[in-house]
Amino acid sequence: MRRIPYIAALLALLVLPVGCEPQTVYTPEFLTDSTLRMEVGKQEILTYNPITCQTALNLHRCEFRMHTDNMSEYFIIRFSSMPSEEGESVTVESLVWTNPSGTDQTRKNITLEVVKLEGDIAWLWNSRESIRMTVRCR
């Protein structure tokens, strides 16, 4: 009977770290490289290679697409409005990408922070999903 409070306290301590998971951060190297790309966590989804990749920007649809020539790897992002200034948060209506196993991943109505905007390139970040990407936005 006396052990119940101790067992309950021990269980609470075991559950506590799961609820307090630290938010991931982007690294300074992310901001120094203007290569078009997408990363989720530590996983590289696609990095632009002019020999094997193509990109497209549709300002009317607020959509950026990047894919390999054979479409084996790609990501397509559609914004509610195109990123226009550093520090703003932009809503992504739809984000679809292939992961290394070949299946599609989709996120809808997520928010990305514009952490850097230089020329026509935007560096975007979502801490909850640990999504980092560099896209053409103009």
mmCIF file of all heavy atoms in Angstrom, residues 53-93:
data_model
loop_
_atom_site.group_PDB
_atom_site.id
_atom_site.type_symbol
_atom_site.label_atom_id
_atom_site.label_comp_id
_atom_site.label_asym_id
_atom_site.label_seq_id
_atom_site.Cartn_x
_atom_site.Cartn_y
_atom_site.Cartn_z
ATOM 1 N N CYS A 53 17.649 17.496 -62.246
ATOM 2 C CA CYS A 53 16.424 18.056 -61.657
ATOM 3 C C CYS A 53 15.822 19.162 -62.512
ATOM 4 O O CYS A 53 16.513 19.776 -63.326
ATOM 5 C CB CYS A 53 16.720 18.646 -60.277
ATOM 6 S SG CYS A 53 17.118 17.448 -59.027
ATOM 7 N N GLN A 54 14.547 19.409 -62.251
ATOM 8 C CA GLN A 54 13.837 20.516 -62.869
ATOM 9 C C GLN A 54 13.046 21.245 -61.784
ATOM 10 O O GLN A 54 12.637 20.636 -60.800
ATOM 11 C CB GLN A 54 12.856 20.013 -63.927
ATOM 12 C CG GLN A 54 13.515 19.280 -65.070
ATOM 13 C CD GLN A 54 12.492 18.772 -66.067
ATOM 14 O OE1 GLN A 54 11.463 19.403 -66.290
ATOM 15 N NE2 GLN A 54 12.763 17.626 -66.661
ATOM 16 N N THR A 55 12.857 22.539 -61.988
ATOM 17 C CA THR A 55 12.033 23.329 -61.073
ATOM 18 C C THR A 55 11.007 24.105 -61.880
ATOM 19 O O THR A 55 11.203 24.366 -63.072
ATOM 20 C CB THR A 55 12.867 24.324 -60.241
ATOM 21 O OG1 THR A 55 13.444 25.295 -61.111
ATOM 22 C CG2 THR A 55 13.946 23.627 -59.450
ATOM 23 N N ALA A 56 9.935 24.469 -61.209
ATOM 24 C CA ALA A 56 8.918 25.303 -61.847
ATOM 25 C C ALA A 56 8.274 26.168 -60.766
ATOM 26 O O ALA A 56 8.061 25.723 -59.642
ATOM 27 C CB ALA A 56 7.861 24.445 -62.527
ATOM 28 N N LEU A 57 7.988 27.398 -61.128
ATOM 29 C CA LEU A 57 7.317 28.334 -60.236
ATOM 30 C C LEU A 57 6.096 28.868 -60.958
ATOM 31 O O LEU A 57 6.197 29.385 -62.069
ATOM 32 C CB LEU A 57 8.258 29.483 -59.863
ATOM 33 C CG LEU A 57 7.669 30.614 -59.030
ATOM 34 C CD1 LEU A 57 7.235 30.107 -57.662
ATOM 35 C CD2 LEU A 57 8.669 31.747 -58.881
ATOM 36 N N ASN A 58 4.930 28.745 -60.331
ATOM 37 C CA ASN A 58 3.694 29.276 -60.876
ATOM 38 C C ASN A 58 3.179 30.313 -59.893
ATOM 39 O O ASN A 58 2.618 29.966 -58.848
ATOM 40 C CB ASN A 58 2.680 28.149 -61.072
ATOM 41 C CG ASN A 58 1.418 28.618 -61.757
ATOM 42 O OD1 ASN A 58 0.934 29.722 -61.502
ATOM 43 N ND2 ASN A 58 0.869 27.774 -62.609
ATOM 44 N N LEU A 59 3.422 31.585 -60.191
ATOM 45 C CA LEU A 59 3.022 32.662 -59.287
ATOM 46 C C LEU A 59 1.506 32.780 -59.174
ATOM 47 O O LEU A 59 0.981 33.142 -58.127
ATOM 48 C CB LEU A 59 3.641 33.986 -59.727
ATOM 49 C CG LEU A 59 5.162 34.063 -59.583
ATOM 50 C CD1 LEU A 59 5.692 35.357 -60.199
ATOM 51 C CD2 LEU A 59 5.574 33.954 -58.130
ATOM 52 N N HIS A 60 0.798 32.489 -60.254
ATOM 53 C CA HIS A 60 -0.662 32.566 -60.241
ATOM 54 C C HIS A 60 -1.247 31.560 -59.240
ATOM 55 O O HIS A 60 -2.189 31.867 -58.512
ATOM 56 C CB HIS A 60 -1.220 32.321 -61.643
ATOM 57 C CG HIS A 60 -2.709 32.350 -61.704
ATOM 58 N ND1 HIS A 60 -3.429 33.513 -61.556
ATOM 59 C CD2 HIS A 60 -3.615 31.367 -61.881
ATOM 60 C CE1 HIS A 60 -4.721 33.241 -61.647
ATOM 61 N NE2 HIS A 60 -4.855 31.931 -61.837
ATOM 62 N N ARG A 61 -0.682 30.352 -59.201
ATOM 63 C CA ARG A 61 -1.148 29.312 -58.276
ATOM 64 C C ARG A 61 -0.398 29.325 -56.943
ATOM 65 O O ARG A 61 -0.691 28.515 -56.066
ATOM 66 C CB ARG A 61 -0.987 27.939 -58.923
ATOM 67 C CG ARG A 61 -1.878 27.730 -60.121
ATOM 68 C CD ARG A 61 -1.661 26.389 -60.733
ATOM 69 N NE ARG A 61 -1.922 25.353 -59.731
ATOM 70 C CZ ARG A 61 -2.067 24.079 -60.014
ATOM 71 N NH1 ARG A 61 -1.951 23.672 -61.253
ATOM 72 N NH2 ARG A 61 -2.279 23.202 -59.067
ATOM 73 N N CYS A 62 0.604 30.215 -56.807
ATOM 74 C CA CYS A 62 1.458 30.269 -55.602
ATOM 75 C C CYS A 62 2.072 28.898 -55.332
ATOM 76 O O CYS A 62 2.020 28.377 -54.214
ATOM 77 C CB CYS A 62 0.676 30.745 -54.384
ATOM 78 S SG CYS A 62 0.044 32.414 -54.525
ATOM 79 N N GLU A 63 2.661 28.326 -56.374
ATOM 80 C CA GLU A 63 3.158 26.957 -56.288
ATOM 81 C C GLU A 63 4.595 26.858 -56.789
ATOM 82 O O GLU A 63 4.940 27.435 -57.819
ATOM 83 C CB GLU A 63 2.260 26.035 -57.114
ATOM 84 C CG GLU A 63 2.621 24.577 -57.054
ATOM 85 C CD GLU A 63 1.635 23.740 -57.841
ATOM 86 O OE1 GLU A 63 0.626 23.308 -57.251
ATOM 87 O OE2 GLU A 63 1.872 23.541 -59.047
ATOM 88 N N PHE A 64 5.414 26.122 -56.045
ATOM 89 C CA PHE A 64 6.785 25.816 -56.455
ATOM 90 C C PHE A 64 6.906 24.301 -56.520
ATOM 91 O O PHE A 64 6.458 23.589 -55.616
ATOM 92 C CB PHE A 64 7.804 26.380 -55.455
ATOM 93 C CG PHE A 64 9.222 26.004 -55.789
ATOM 94 C CD1 PHE A 64 9.915 26.680 -56.779
ATOM 95 C CD2 PHE A 64 9.852 24.962 -55.122
ATOM 96 C CE1 PHE A 64 11.223 26.321 -57.100
ATOM 97 C CE2 PHE A 64 11.153 24.604 -55.433
ATOM 98 C CZ PHE A 64 11.837 25.282 -56.427
ATOM 99 N N ARG A 65 7.537 23.811 -57.610
ATOM 100 C CA ARG A 65 7.730 22.378 -57.789
ATOM 101 C C ARG A 65 9.195 22.101 -58.100
ATOM 102 O O ARG A 65 9.830 22.853 -58.838
ATOM 103 C CB ARG A 65 6.882 21.855 -58.948
ATOM 104 C CG ARG A 65 5.412 22.049 -58.764
ATOM 105 C CD ARG A 65 4.588 21.489 -59.922
ATOM 106 N NE ARG A 65 4.903 22.049 -61.220
ATOM 107 C CZ ARG A 65 4.388 23.160 -61.735
ATOM 108 N NH1 ARG A 65 3.536 23.865 -61.017
ATOM 109 N NH2 ARG A 65 4.709 23.570 -62.930
ATOM 110 N N MET A 66 9.700 21.034 -57.549
ATOM 111 C CA MET A 66 11.043 20.573 -57.884
ATOM 112 C C MET A 66 11.002 19.051 -57.952
ATOM 113 O O MET A 66 10.400 18.409 -57.078
ATOM 114 C CB MET A 66 12.064 21.031 -56.837
ATOM 115 C CG MET A 66 13.492 20.717 -57.245
ATOM 116 S SD MET A 66 14.742 21.583 -56.260
ATOM 117 C CE MET A 66 14.782 20.589 -54.795
ATOM 118 N N HIS A 67 11.618 18.503 -58.998
ATOM 119 C CA HIS A 67 11.609 17.049 -59.143
ATOM 120 C C HIS A 67 12.787 16.590 -59.986
ATOM 121 O O HIS A 67 13.369 17.359 -60.747
ATOM 122 C CB HIS A 67 10.298 16.565 -59.766
ATOM 123 C CG HIS A 67 9.987 17.193 -61.088
ATOM 124 N ND1 HIS A 67 10.508 16.747 -62.280
ATOM 125 C CD2 HIS A 67 9.215 18.256 -61.388
ATOM 126 C CE1 HIS A 67 10.053 17.497 -63.270
ATOM 127 N NE2 HIS A 67 9.270 18.432 -62.750
ATOM 128 N N THR A 68 13.116 15.319 -59.819
ATOM 129 C CA THR A 68 14.125 14.726 -60.686
ATOM 130 C C THR A 68 13.493 14.517 -62.053
ATOM 131 O O THR A 68 12.266 14.514 -62.195
ATOM 132 C CB THR A 68 14.628 13.382 -60.121
ATOM 133 O OG1 THR A 68 13.508 12.516 -59.917
ATOM 134 C CG2 THR A 68 15.389 13.577 -58.822
ATOM 135 N N ASP A 69 14.332 14.332 -63.064
ATOM 136 C CA ASP A 69 13.830 14.194 -64.429
ATOM 137 C C ASP A 69 12.854 13.030 -64.583
ATOM 138 O O ASP A 69 11.913 13.094 -65.370
ATOM 139 C CB ASP A 69 14.997 14.033 -65.407
ATOM 140 C CG ASP A 69 15.800 15.309 -65.556
ATOM 141 O OD1 ASP A 69 15.270 16.400 -65.256
ATOM 142 O OD2 ASP A 69 16.975 15.225 -65.975
ATOM 143 N N ASN A 70 13.060 11.955 -63.829
ATOM 144 C CA ASN A 70 12.157 10.796 -63.958
ATOM 145 C C ASN A 70 11.054 10.791 -62.886
ATOM 146 O O ASN A 70 10.331 9.813 -62.743
ATOM 147 C CB ASN A 70 12.957 9.492 -63.895
ATOM 148 C CG ASN A 70 13.657 9.290 -62.572
ATOM 149 O OD1 ASN A 70 13.487 10.056 -61.632
ATOM 150 N ND2 ASN A 70 14.469 8.245 -62.511
ATOM 151 N N MET A 71 10.949 11.872 -62.115
ATOM 152 C CA MET A 71 9.919 12.053 -61.082
ATOM 153 C C MET A 71 10.018 11.029 -59.946
ATOM 154 O O MET A 71 9.056 10.822 -59.209
ATOM 155 C CB MET A 71 8.508 12.004 -61.685
ATOM 156 C CG MET A 71 8.161 13.195 -62.554
ATOM 157 S SD MET A 71 8.056 14.733 -61.627
ATOM 158 C CE MET A 71 6.557 14.503 -60.701
ATOM 159 N N SER A 72 11.174 10.403 -59.777
ATOM 160 C CA SER A 72 11.326 9.457 -58.675
ATOM 161 C C SER A 72 11.394 10.183 -57.336
ATOM 162 O O SER A 72 11.055 9.613 -56.301
ATOM 163 C CB SER A 72 12.574 8.596 -58.878
ATOM 164 O OG SER A 72 13.736 9.412 -58.891
ATOM 165 N N GLU A 73 11.852 11.427 -57.344
ATOM 166 C CA GLU A 73 11.901 12.252 -56.136
ATOM 167 C C GLU A 73 11.327 13.617 -56.491
ATOM 168 O O GLU A 73 11.637 14.157 -57.550
ATOM 169 C CB GLU A 73 13.336 12.417 -55.649
ATOM 170 C CG GLU A 73 14.025 11.120 -55.295
ATOM 171 C CD GLU A 73 15.503 11.341 -55.065
ATOM 172 O OE1 GLU A 73 15.836 12.091 -54.123
ATOM 173 O OE2 GLU A 73 16.308 10.778 -55.819
ATOM 174 N N TYR A 74 10.512 14.154 -55.609
ATOM 175 C CA TYR A 74 9.933 15.474 -55.882
ATOM 176 C C TYR A 74 9.363 16.082 -54.617
ATOM 177 O O TYR A 74 9.159 15.402 -53.618
ATOM 178 C CB TYR A 74 8.834 15.388 -56.935
ATOM 179 C CG TYR A 74 7.637 14.579 -56.528
ATOM 180 C CD1 TYR A 74 6.589 15.162 -55.830
ATOM 181 C CD2 TYR A 74 7.554 13.223 -56.843
ATOM 182 C CE1 TYR A 74 5.482 14.420 -55.454
ATOM 183 C CE2 TYR A 74 6.454 12.477 -56.476
ATOM 184 C CZ TYR A 74 5.430 13.080 -55.780
ATOM 185 O OH TYR A 74 4.342 12.338 -55.399
ATOM 186 N N PHE A 75 9.117 17.379 -54.679
ATOM 187 C CA PHE A 75 8.254 18.030 -53.712
ATOM 188 C C PHE A 75 7.515 19.152 -54.417
ATOM 189 O O PHE A 75 8.008 19.775 -55.343
ATOM 190 C CB PHE A 75 8.977 18.493 -52.437
ATOM 191 C CG PHE A 75 9.869 19.693 -52.573
ATOM 192 C CD1 PHE A 75 9.376 20.974 -52.400
ATOM 193 C CD2 PHE A 75 11.218 19.531 -52.827
ATOM 194 C CE1 PHE A 75 10.212 22.077 -52.484
ATOM 195 C CE2 PHE A 75 12.060 20.625 -52.912
ATOM 196 C CZ PHE A 75 11.558 21.898 -52.755
ATOM 197 N N ILE A 76 6.280 19.345 -53.994
ATOM 198 C CA ILE A 76 5.398 20.372 -54.547
ATOM 199 C C ILE A 76 4.803 21.121 -53.363
ATOM 200 O O ILE A 76 4.222 20.508 -52.471
ATOM 201 C CB ILE A 76 4.268 19.759 -55.397
ATOM 202 C CG1 ILE A 76 4.849 18.912 -56.524
ATOM 203 C CG2 ILE A 76 3.346 20.846 -55.936
ATOM 204 C CD1 ILE A 76 3.830 18.025 -57.222
ATOM 205 N N ILE A 77 4.966 22.428 -53.368
ATOM 206 C CA ILE A 77 4.439 23.243 -52.274
ATOM 207 C C ILE A 77 3.538 24.320 -52.854
ATOM 208 O O ILE A 77 3.900 24.996 -53.814
ATOM 209 C CB ILE A 77 5.576 23.848 -51.418
ATOM 210 C CG1 ILE A 77 5.014 24.608 -50.223
ATOM 211 C CG2 ILE A 77 6.510 24.706 -52.246
ATOM 212 C CD1 ILE A 77 6.055 24.967 -49.176
ATOM 213 N N ARG A 78 2.338 24.440 -52.278
ATOM 214 C CA ARG A 78 1.391 25.472 -52.688
ATOM 215 C C ARG A 78 1.090 26.357 -51.477
ATOM 216 O O ARG A 78 0.608 25.884 -50.456
ATOM 217 C CB ARG A 78 0.108 24.877 -53.219
ATOM 218 C CG ARG A 78 -0.859 25.981 -53.697
ATOM 219 C CD ARG A 78 -2.117 25.447 -54.266
ATOM 220 N NE ARG A 78 -1.803 24.764 -55.503
ATOM 221 C CZ ARG A 78 -2.684 24.010 -56.153
ATOM 222 N NH1 ARG A 78 -3.895 23.852 -55.689
ATOM 223 N NH2 ARG A 78 -2.338 23.415 -57.273
ATOM 224 N N PHE A 79 1.409 27.636 -51.628
ATOM 225 C CA PHE A 79 1.212 28.617 -50.560
ATOM 226 C C PHE A 79 -0.151 29.278 -50.692
ATOM 227 O O PHE A 79 -0.706 29.346 -51.783
ATOM 228 C CB PHE A 79 2.272 29.726 -50.647
ATOM 229 C CG PHE A 79 3.687 29.244 -50.517
ATOM 230 C CD1 PHE A 79 4.454 28.986 -51.647
ATOM 231 C CD2 PHE A 79 4.271 29.070 -49.275
ATOM 232 C CE1 PHE A 79 5.764 28.557 -51.544
ATOM 233 C CE2 PHE A 79 5.587 28.650 -49.161
ATOM 234 C CZ PHE A 79 6.333 28.381 -50.298
ATOM 235 N N SER A 80 -0.667 29.826 -49.595
ATOM 236 C CA SER A 80 -1.868 30.664 -49.696
ATOM 237 C C SER A 80 -1.487 32.000 -50.326
ATOM 238 O O SER A 80 -2.263 32.597 -51.048
ATOM 239 C CB SER A 80 -2.524 30.864 -48.334
ATOM 240 O OG SER A 80 -1.614 31.454 -47.436
ATOM 241 N N SER A 81 -0.267 32.471 -50.046
ATOM 242 C CA SER A 81 0.320 33.623 -50.722
ATOM 243 C C SER A 81 1.832 33.431 -50.680
ATOM 244 O O SER A 81 2.355 32.844 -49.730
ATOM 245 C CB SER A 81 -0.077 34.942 -50.051
ATOM 246 O OG SER A 81 0.395 34.992 -48.731
ATOM 247 N N MET A 82 2.519 33.944 -51.691
ATOM 248 C CA MET A 82 3.957 33.724 -51.794
ATOM 249 C C MET A 82 4.703 34.458 -50.675
ATOM 250 O O MET A 82 4.300 35.549 -50.267
ATOM 251 C CB MET A 82 4.474 34.204 -53.156
ATOM 252 C CG MET A 82 3.961 33.399 -54.333
ATOM 253 S SD MET A 82 4.310 31.641 -54.233
ATOM 254 C CE MET A 82 6.042 31.598 -54.638
ATOM 255 N N PRO A 83 5.791 33.868 -50.179
ATOM 256 C CA PRO A 83 6.620 34.555 -49.180
ATOM 257 C C PRO A 83 7.119 35.890 -49.734
ATOM 258 O O PRO A 83 7.543 35.969 -50.885
ATOM 259 C CB PRO A 83 7.796 33.597 -48.967
ATOM 260 C CG PRO A 83 7.298 32.266 -49.413
ATOM 261 C CD PRO A 83 6.314 32.540 -50.511
ATOM 262 N N SER A 84 7.039 36.946 -48.901
ATOM 263 C CA SER A 84 7.423 38.265 -49.405
ATOM 264 C C SER A 84 8.384 39.016 -48.498
ATOM 265 O O SER A 84 8.991 39.983 -48.927
ATOM 266 C CB SER A 84 6.178 39.115 -49.654
ATOM 267 O OG SER A 84 5.442 39.264 -48.457
ATOM 268 N N GLU A 85 8.514 38.607 -47.224
ATOM 269 C CA GLU A 85 9.462 39.301 -46.349
ATOM 270 C C GLU A 85 9.946 38.379 -45.236
ATOM 271 O O GLU A 85 9.236 37.465 -44.805
ATOM 272 C CB GLU A 85 8.849 40.566 -45.762
ATOM 273 C CG GLU A 85 7.627 40.349 -44.914
ATOM 274 C CD GLU A 85 7.007 41.662 -44.447
ATOM 275 O OE1 GLU A 85 6.677 42.497 -45.302
ATOM 276 O OE2 GLU A 85 6.880 41.817 -43.224
ATOM 277 N N GLU A 86 11.157 38.637 -44.794
ATOM 278 C CA GLU A 86 11.751 37.852 -43.708
ATOM 279 C C GLU A 86 10.944 38.018 -42.430
ATOM 280 O O GLU A 86 10.413 39.080 -42.150
ATOM 281 C CB GLU A 86 13.193 38.293 -43.450
ATOM 282 C CG GLU A 86 14.154 37.829 -44.504
ATOM 283 C CD GLU A 86 15.597 38.217 -44.199
ATOM 284 O OE1 GLU A 86 15.926 38.524 -43.033
ATOM 285 O OE2 GLU A 86 16.403 38.216 -45.144
ATOM 286 N N GLY A 87 10.860 36.945 -41.670
ATOM 287 C CA GLY A 87 10.166 36.988 -40.390
ATOM 288 C C GLY A 87 8.690 36.688 -40.470
ATOM 289 O O GLY A 87 8.064 36.416 -39.448
ATOM 290 N N GLU A 88 8.120 36.731 -41.646
ATOM 291 C CA GLU A 88 6.688 36.455 -41.757
ATOM 292 C C GLU A 88 6.434 34.953 -41.700
ATOM 293 O O GLU A 88 7.324 34.144 -41.922
ATOM 294 C CB GLU A 88 6.108 37.043 -43.050
ATOM 295 C CG GLU A 88 6.414 36.237 -44.290
ATOM 296 C CD GLU A 88 5.719 36.765 -45.532
ATOM 297 O OE1 GLU A 88 4.552 37.178 -45.455
ATOM 298 O OE2 GLU A 88 6.368 36.770 -46.588
ATOM 299 N N SER A 89 5.220 34.607 -41.387
ATOM 300 C CA SER A 89 4.770 33.219 -41.425
ATOM 301 C C SER A 89 3.831 33.073 -42.609
ATOM 302 O O SER A 89 2.941 33.900 -42.788
ATOM 303 C CB SER A 89 4.047 32.845 -40.136
ATOM 304 O OG SER A 89 4.944 32.871 -39.057
ATOM 305 N N VAL A 90 4.071 32.040 -43.403
ATOM 306 C CA VAL A 90 3.218 31.799 -44.565
ATOM 307 C C VAL A 90 2.485 30.475 -44.379
ATOM 308 O O VAL A 90 3.038 29.522 -43.841
ATOM 309 C CB VAL A 90 4.025 31.783 -45.888
ATOM 310 C CG1 VAL A 90 4.556 33.160 -46.215
ATOM 311 C CG2 VAL A 90 5.153 30.786 -45.852
ATOM 312 N N THR A 91 1.250 30.467 -44.816
ATOM 313 C CA THR A 91 0.450 29.249 -44.741
ATOM 314 C C THR A 91 0.666 28.429 -45.997
ATOM 315 O O THR A 91 0.619 28.954 -47.107
ATOM 316 C CB THR A 91 -1.045 29.593 -44.590
ATOM 317 O OG1 THR A 91 -1.205 30.370 -43.403
ATOM 318 C CG2 THR A 91 -1.892 28.339 -44.503
ATOM 319 N N VAL A 92 0.905 27.161 -45.782
ATOM 320 C CA VAL A 92 1.071 26.227 -46.888
ATOM 321 C C VAL A 92 -0.233 25.451 -47.012
ATOM 322 O O VAL A 92 -0.619 24.725 -46.097
ATOM 323 C CB VAL A 92 2.258 25.266 -46.632
ATOM 324 C CG1 VAL A 92 2.329 24.203 -47.699
ATOM 325 C CG2 VAL A 92 3.547 26.055 -46.545
ATOM 326 N N GLU A 93 -0.913 25.646 -48.136
ATOM 327 C CA GLU A 93 -2.159 24.930 -48.356
ATOM 328 C C GLU A 93 -1.905 23.442 -48.557
ATOM 329 O O GLU A 93 -2.668 22.609 -48.094
ATOM 330 C CB GLU A 93 -2.898 25.507 -49.565
ATOM 331 C CG GLU A 93 -3.390 26.918 -49.332
ATOM 332 C CD GLU A 93 -4.042 27.517 -50.557
ATOM 333 O OE1 GLU A 93 -4.051 26.881 -51.641
ATOM 334 O OE2 GLU A 93 -4.553 28.649 -50.438
#
